[in-house]
Amino acid sequence: MNLAKDGALSSKLPWVGTTIFTVMSKLASDTGAINLSQGFPGFDCSPELVALVEKYLRTGFNQYAPMAGVPALREALAQKTDQLYGVSYHPETEVTVTSGATEALFAAITAVIRPGDEAIVFEPAYDSYVPAIELNGGIPVFVTLAPPTYAIDWEDVRGKITDKTRLLIVNTPHNPTGRVWTADDLAQLAALVHQRDIWIVSDEVYEHIRFDGRPHLSLATHPVLQERTFVCGSFGKTFHVTGWKIGYCLAPKALTAEFRKIHQYLTFSTVTPIQYALADYLKNPEPYETLPAFYEHKRDLFLDSLRGSRFQFQPTEGSFFQTVSYQSITDEPDYDLAIRLTKEIGVASIPVSVFYRQKNDFKILRFCFAKNDDVLLQAGERLCRL
Ligand SMILES: Cc1ncc(COP(=O)(O)O)c(C=O)c1O
């Protein structure tokens, strides 16, 4: 029954309201605070990439793209994945271009989850996973990770697997904690899912943003995992174009066939001229090969500027987020402190409790350092006043 007593539509996601990202960004703009809350770059993308998009816009590439994506882009993605990770995905049957990683995640989750199925979610978790599970009638089963290391307790995971478990969601490098999966994590997961009907959605949108020489260990690199994984990626984070909402899914043929059945009725296809432009732009590996150093500089600059503060932190391993503990400064709830910092100090952040279902408050704030250097230095200076 869709009608509540007063005739209003009863919500399928009653616990979902305005997201914290909207709340904090609005507060930052209303108060003139430096906005380190939402995860998007404060600088523009490459002019070369813009010129390529313009070229295709002006030369008639403006009608529907093929449902699975422009062949040249699928080929470029397959080639890049082979070169970087030594794994081959067939561009015709195993690579699909999507409208952002968000669409890829939703389609992959929808392809797997039926009513009553259980999906294991590590929390803190990016906010789109759980609604997608629940809209499909699935039940999220949470494995809680805690600071300072956010390491996975694999015995805990094992204990949560039941006959109903059909899906496990991975995110490496991780938003919000920056944690990067290790070879041991991959081996532990492979041992758990081996010979079970459990599929994996691996959110790897920050694959090119990891630090201190750490490799990105795509789940595609482990054969036991590769055969059951939907790898979801995004060009938004890699090329500073989050507003273009263009991503992709790599998955073995049988999984891709089911994935595309959903994709073709969610969006059917994705913006055409940008696909052609990205296919050309991907021929040069330099932009993504230089990305770790580009962001490592920003991470270090931001952390150096915080050294005189009373915040405690471990340098983030990957992503463009840095979490900090304020445990030794105040015992205010993290939500309240994030609001107060925005209003009084002029720096907006995200309270990490929002990434937990039970709103676990470990006294941690998340800052996005994908901003210009002068902005990061100014934010650091202000935060040292606390
Ligand atoms: C972990 C994670 N996954 C997915 C996305 C969404 O990617 P897209 O903008 O390509 O939909 C984001 C964006 O912030 C993210 O942080």
Side-chain angles (χ1 to χ4, degrees):
M1 185 70 168
N2 284 341
L3 289 183
K5 275 199 189 99
D6 57 2
L9 179 67
S10 79
S11 176
K12 291 180 83 173
L13 295 171
W15 51 271
V16 172
T18 309
T19 74
I20 184 74
F21 308 103
T22 308
V23 172
M24 294 308 297
S25 284
K26 178 163 187 325
L27 189 61
S29 116
D30 289 352
T31 57
I34 297 172
N35 189 0
L36 303 189
S37 62
Q38 221 172 338
F40 61 86
F43 35 82
D44 209 357
C45 64
S46 144
E48 191 193 332
L49 181 53
V50 174
L52 284 168
V53 175
E54 189 184 353
K55 175 180 122 183
Y56 286 107
L57 275 170
R58 289 189 186 281
T59 49
F61 291 81
N62 295 306
Q63 307 311 326
Y64 289 129
M67 182 272 279
V70 161
L73 180 55
R74 285 188 273 139
E75 274 155 33
L77 278 168
Q79 228 170 44
K80 171 174 173 272
T81 309
D82 198 359
Q83 272 159 13
L84 287 179
Y85 307 123
V87 190
S88 59
Y89 286 95
H90 198 290
E92 260 172 47
T93 52
E94 301 186 315
V95 181
T96 310
V97 181
T98 61
S99 298
T102 307
E103 195 228 335
L105 292 163
F106 195 91
I109 291 167
T110 302
V112 173
I113 292 291
R114 294 163 198 263
D117 287 347
E118 292 177 1
I120 297 205
V121 179
F122 296 101
E123 59 172 8
Y126 181 63
D127 63 350
S128 83
Y129 310 148
V130 170
I133 293 164
E134 293 188 332
L135 285 171
N136 283 291
I139 300 156
V141 174
F142 294 100
V143 172
T144 301
L145 311 179
T149 65
Y150 299 98
I152 296 168
D153 174 350
W154 286 101
E155 275 316 303
D156 186 15
V157 184
R158 191 184 307 279
K160 290 193 166 146
I161 289 184
T162 72
D163 289 348
K164 291 186 183 164
T165 310
R166 283 292 154 273
L167 179 68
L168 190 145
I169 299 185
V170 173
N171 173 209
T172 181
H174 185 249
N175 175 8
T177 70
R179 187 169 182 271
V180 170
W181 272 43
T182 62
D184 184 57
D185 289 321
L186 262 63
Q188 296 272 7
L189 179 58
L192 269 188
V193 297
H194 189 49
Q195 294 185 332
R196 283 196 168 102
D197 287 340
I198 299 179
W199 283 268
I200 299 165
V201 168
S202 185
D203 180 345
E204 302 185 11
V205 302
Y206 298 104
E207 70 181 305
H208 297 297
I209 312 179
R210 62 296 175 316
F211 309 124
D212 309 309
R214 271 181 197 84
H216 168 62
L217 297 180
S218 173
L219 265 62
T221 59
H222 193 298
V224 168
L225 301 176
Q226 192 273 345
E227 65 182 19
R228 61 187 68 236
T229 298
F230 299 85
V231 175
C232 300
S234 174
F235 295 103
K237 316 291 176 181
T238 303
F239 296 142
H240 317 317
V241 290
T242 58
W244 290 3
K245 293 300 290 185
I246 179 157
Y248 54 90
C249 175
L250 312 173
K253 187 174 174 182
L255 270 59
T256 293
E258 292 309 311
F259 177 92
R260 288 184 182 172
K261 288 181 192 173
I262 317 288
H263 163 72
Q264 73 178 337
Y265 295 117
L266 263 181
T267 56
F268 184 73
S269 64
T270 297
V271 56
T272 306
I274 291 182
Q275 292 195 54
Y276 281 100
L278 285 168
D280 289 354
Y281 195 65
L282 274 176
K283 287 182 187 140
N284 177 10
E286 202 215 328
Y288 56 83
E289 280 176 356
T290 53
L291 206 59
F294 174 81
Y295 274 123
E296 191 166 313
H297 160 79
K298 291 193 178 293
R299 178 200 66 174
D300 292 347
L301 189 81
F302 181 56
L303 288 184
D304 282 346
S305 77
L306 285 187
R307 299 236 185 253
S309 75
R310 288 183 291 154
F311 290 110
Q312 293 167 318
F313 46 80
Q314 294 291 323
T316 197
E317 295 176 357
S319 81
F320 45 48
F321 301 111
Q322 175 68 50
T323 55
V324 305
S325 163
Y326 61 87
Q327 218 165 12
S328 59
I329 306 178
T330 166
D331 60 4
E332 282 170 83
D334 64 355
Y335 192 95
D336 295 356
L337 182 64
I339 302 275
R340 186 163 77 81
L341 278 185
T342 311
K343 289 183 179 164
E344 290 178 12
I345 304 256
V347 182
S349 58
I350 296 290
V352 170
S353 62
V354 303
F355 296 91
Y356 291 91
R357 192 52 168 304
Q358 301 301 329
K359 304 289 174 259
N360 306 40
D361 183 359
F362 292 106
K363 313 294 176 202
I364 305 280
L365 299 175
R366 186 199 80 174
F367 294 95
C368 171
F369 54 82
K371 307 294 164 189
N372 286 320
D373 291 2
D374 57 329
V375 174
L376 294 173
L377 288 174
Q378 211 189 351
E381 195 182 294
R382 291 182 186 187
L383 289 167
C384 284
R385 291 184 209 147
L386 187 73

